Amino acid sequence: MGNLLMLSALPKIPMAGWIDNLVNWLADQTGFFNAITNFVGGINAGIQWFFDMLPLPLLIVLVVGLTAWLSWRKGKLRWSLVIFELIGMLFIWNQGYWRDMTQTLALVLTSSIIALVIGIPLGIWMAKSEVVQTILKPILDFMQTMPAFVYLIPAVALFGIGAVPGVFSALIFAMPPVVRMTNLGIRGVPSDLTEAADAYGSTSWQKLIKVELPLASSSIMAGVNQTMMLSLSMVVTASMIGAMGLGSKVYFAVGRNDAGNGFTAGLAIVIIAIVLDRITQMLNSPRKQGK
């Protein structure tokens, strides 16, 4: 009892104040964050320009044609998925969400590309160094378990509102799977194969490119799939800080208690998620002999 009284007398640790001071200090580094904002905003604008440039029918044909070709190359043409994509994309256009869909796709692709460019080398580094793995593991746990809404607060402080803070928050939330799966895939390469590569005098770079990465590709692609799915979920949440797209339609519908428009916008998000998931899964599936 006495010990409990002593503990209750301890002063409160000013954790929130420390974090506020850190965020305020970071926000003062305007030159650095303006450079990141311009860079990330440029990538997002470029992808959006590409979608805007393509005529609507051509984009539908490209997506449906890619799915048909991939499924044929993997051994069986998946007519059900091809028909679902065709009907789903026509439904999104019919509901007036085409531009919102391309904005959502641009955000997802921007955050996923940056996450992969950073995440795959980090996963390779983790696989090669026990020290790096020991340091990065708790950081990745923190990134994945922190409630997604929390990332929106520093994102606004550092990047303002709009697409860039949405990409930033999605990047933090979606990057851990590809880092973990790259690490897992390379560590899972049979040791006799790496020893054989060493015996033939391969350099570390040759062993990585010609042995480890090809054998770990299935695991890495699984991480890519998860990264894209988490990016999609986060860019929808990021509509709260001004990231446009289908998420903003759902957000506005919630504010107006508009169940119909909220549901149709949510259905469009589900269609995009299924299309992205199936395409990335097909990239990861084994190829049939002779195709």
Side-chain angles (χ1 to χ4, degrees):
M1 188 64 182
N3 290 335
L4 287 176
L5 289 174
M6 288 179 63
L7 287 174
S8 64
L10 290 175
K12 179 182 176 182
I13 299 174
M15 179 65 75
W18 293 342
I19 295 172
D20 284 340
N21 290 336
L22 175 63
V23 172
N24 291 334
W25 179 80
L26 290 172
D28 289 337
Q29 317 306 314
T30 52
F32 176 72
F33 288 104
N34 284 341
I36 293 178
T37 300
N38 293 333
F39 177 71
V40 175
I43 296 175
N44 184 69
I47 296 174
Q48 184 64 56
W49 172 82
F50 175 75
F51 284 133
D52 291 341
M53 180 190 67
L54 285 179
L56 184 148
L58 181 57
L59 184 54
I60 294 177
V61 168
L62 284 176
V63 173
V64 173
L66 175 65
T67 302
W69 181 75
L70 280 175
S71 61
W72 176 77
R73 291 279 292 177
K74 300 299 181 181
K76 183 180 179 182
L77 186 56
R78 298 177 61 180
W79 283 108
S80 58
L81 180 58
V82 170
I83 294 171
F84 171 82
E85 288 183 352
L86 181 61
I87 294 175
M89 296 180 81
L90 288 174
F91 170 79
I92 292 172
W93 167 74
N94 175 262
Q95 295 299 307
Y97 293 140
W98 189 261
R99 170 74 176 172
D100 302 294
M101 183 199 72
T102 60
Q103 287 176 325
T104 301
L105 278 177
L107 288 170
V108 170
L109 291 177
T110 303
S111 56
S112 297
I113 289 169
I114 297 174
L116 298 182
V117 168
I118 299 173
I120 292 177
L122 275 181
I124 295 171
W125 197 12
M126 277 183 75
K128 299 292 182 182
S129 169
E130 293 297 331
V131 174
V132 174
Q133 178 173 250
T134 304
I135 294 171
L136 285 184
K137 259 190 171 180
I139 296 174
L140 295 175
D141 292 340
F142 174 87
M143 292 165 68
Q144 276 194 295
T145 54
M146 178 66 75
F149 291 102
V150 175
Y151 294 130
L152 302 180
I153 304 170
V156 170
L158 302 178
F159 301 104
I161 60 173
V164 174
V167 170
F168 172 77
S169 53
L171 171 65
I172 295 176
F173 188 64
M175 192 166 59
V178 74
V179 179
R180 291 186 194 278
M181 296 304 287
T182 303
N183 175 39
L184 187 66
I186 292 179
R187 285 179 182 272
V189 173
S191 59
D192 53 339
L193 295 178
T194 57
E195 288 169 2
D198 290 333
Y200 279 100
S202 300
T203 64
S204 299
W205 180 253
Q206 288 172 327
K207 187 168 67 176
L208 175 67
I209 297 298
K210 296 185 177 179
V211 178
E212 293 173 323
L213 283 180
L215 292 173
S217 60
S218 179
S219 178
I220 294 172
M221 283 307 299
V224 172
N225 175 277
Q226 290 302 303
T227 292
M228 294 193 77
M229 292 298 101
L230 290 176
S231 292
L232 177 60
S233 69
M234 193 62 201
V235 298
V236 171
T237 305
S239 62
M240 298 173 64
I241 54 173
M244 300 306 290
L246 290 168
S248 64
K249 298 298 181 186
V250 176
Y251 181 61
F252 295 150
V254 171
R256 296 192 297 263
N257 195 22
D258 185 352
N261 284 320
F263 185 83
T264 51
L267 199 54
I269 294 169
V270 171
I271 292 169
I272 292 178
I274 292 174
V275 171
L276 290 176
D277 179 64
R278 298 303 185 270
I279 289 177
T280 50
Q281 280 190 16
M282 278 192 288
L283 289 172
N284 194 26
S285 61
R287 184 176 166 184
K288 188 178 179 181
Q289 295 294 328
K291 292 290 183 181

